[in-house]
Amino acid sequence: MFNQVDFGKRVKSFRLRKNYSQKEIALRIGVSEQAVSKWENGECLPDVYNLKLLAQILHISVDSLLDTEIQNPEKIVETITIGGANFEIVEKPETLLAGKIIYAKNFANEDSFNSAIDSLTEDDKQAAFEKLKETVLPIYDINLSVNFWLNFKQRAYGFVRGVTTEEQSDGIDVYKMPASLFIRAYTDKATSQLISKEQCEIWELFAYIRDYFMPSHGFKMADNGAQEMEVFDTFDHKTGYAYMPVERI
């Protein structure tokens, strides 16, 4: 998970190793000394162009400067290929998700619960996202399905993003997803063809994973509270990853 304060500490550490002052860095990049100070204090981040220049001046890679290894705490433990489609078995640590979450227990029946989900507009979702604090980078929009394989009153559905703190604004719902093993699949052509389509929606992969992939490869649904996720990698939500929580049989 990316942290601006930690980034600033890394910038300062690499700068001091080169015996550069903040003024020297600022002159070489073409920004104010105050801008460099703000980077090091974790108040803001350089834009992409200045980030590249900063890495060049400090003689390090952008990856080292960003410490991107900590951005993806997931660990791929196995990849299973079926007809050119890759299914990754992923260990995912406890995750904080925040946004708008609707709980079935607050509704009289399943129809009213589903209607509440359908009634949320894109403007409603974006308004919630704009209020999030300490969003995990890079940002992904996530559709979260909670306990949909259990009885109705235990279910919930959310439009969320990853965050690093539970201290969120009023009106923002927070869900703490426990660590779990997941099966992860992407909506590429090879995977779509497994369900006889040229291009599929993320949610369409859940049935294939549950009904065909899992029993064929020794998995069952996890019962530790982890949840299904549609993780979109485009702003128009056309493609992305299906995550299903599993246990090995």
Side-chain angles (χ1 to χ4, degrees), residues 168-192:
Q168 295 293 327
S169 305
D170 291 342
I172 295 299
D173 303 302
V174 177
Y175 186 83
K176 185 180 291 186
M177 188 178 69
S180 184
L181 193 69
F182 283 82
I183 293 173
R184 181 174 74 186
Y186 188 69
T187 55
D188 56 17
K189 184 175 181 179
T191 307
S192 299

Side-chain angles (χ1 to χ4, degrees), residues 24-42:
E24 288 173 317
I25 294 293
L27 288 171
R28 287 171 178 262
I29 294 179
V31 297
S32 68
E33 188 175 346
Q34 183 183 31
V36 177
S37 177
K38 286 184 176 181
W39 297 343
E40 294 190 357
N41 289 331

Side-chain angles (χ1 to χ4, degrees), residues 6-222:
D6 289 342
F7 170 80
K9 290 178 180 178
R10 286 194 295 276
V11 173
K12 183 176 182 178
S13 175
F14 285 123
R15 174 176 64 79
L16 293 177
R17 290 183 194 178
K18 294 293 184 181
N19 294 316
Y20 289 144
S21 66
Q22 288 184 344
K23 184 175 181 179
E24 288 173 317
I25 294 293
L27 288 171
R28 287 171 178 262
I29 294 179
V31 297
S32 68
E33 188 175 346
Q34 183 183 31
V36 177
S37 177
K38 286 184 176 181
W39 297 343
E40 294 190 357
N41 289 331
E43 297 177 35
C44 64
L45 297 170
D47 60 27
V48 174
Y49 180 72
N50 287 335
L51 178 65
K52 183 176 180 180
L53 292 178
L54 182 60
Q56 290 176 345
I57 291 168
L58 296 174
H59 299 287
I60 57 174
S61 68
V62 171
D63 283 343
S64 295
L65 196 55
L66 293 174
D67 194 12
T68 51
E69 289 185 4
I70 66 171
Q71 297 229 22
N72 186 8
E74 299 177 6
K75 179 182 179 182
I76 300 174
V77 297
E78 184 180 0
T79 299
I80 299 172
T81 301
I82 302 175
N86 292 324
F87 293 82
E88 296 168 325
I89 314 305
V90 179
E91 291 179 350
K92 190 175 180 64
E94 182 179 85
T95 305
L96 280 179
L97 302 170
K100 181 63 177 178
I101 303 175
I102 299 174
Y103 290 89
K105 64 183 180 182
N106 297 326
F107 296 86
N109 53 57
E110 191 166 357
D111 286 342
S112 57
F113 170 60
N114 292 333
S115 294
I117 295 173
D118 293 339
S119 67
L120 280 176
T121 67
E122 285 301 317
D123 288 342
D124 293 331
K125 300 171 192 177
Q126 292 305 316
F129 290 155
E130 289 173 3
K131 295 170 65 177
L132 297 184
K133 298 178 181 178
E134 297 188 27
T135 307
V136 173
L137 300 177
I139 293 173
Y140 294 107
D141 291 348
I142 301 170
N143 287 355
L144 173 70
S145 300
V146 180
N147 294 331
F148 265 64
W149 59 92
L150 300 178
N151 67 67
F152 163 64
K153 288 296 183 180
Q154 292 178 278
R155 298 176 187 174
Y157 195 85
F159 305 94
V160 297
R161 289 175 176 173
V163 294
T164 60
T165 178
E166 295 182 65
E167 301 299 321
Q168 295 293 327
S169 305
D170 291 342
I172 295 299
D173 303 302
V174 177
Y175 186 83
K176 185 180 291 186
M177 188 178 69
S180 184
L181 193 69
F182 283 82
I183 293 173
R184 181 174 74 186
Y186 188 69
T187 55
D188 56 17
K189 184 175 181 179
T191 307
S192 299
Q193 288 178 342
L194 293 177
I195 57 174
S196 302
K197 300 188 74 172
E198 284 297 310
Q199 183 66 53
C200 68
E201 302 286 344
I202 298 176
W203 61 267
E204 293 178 288
L205 296 178
F206 290 143
Y208 179 87
I209 294 171
R210 181 181 60 248
D211 297 338
Y212 299 100
F213 182 88
M214 287 168 53
S216 298
H217 294 87
F219 293 96
K220 66 177 183 177
M221 291 295 292

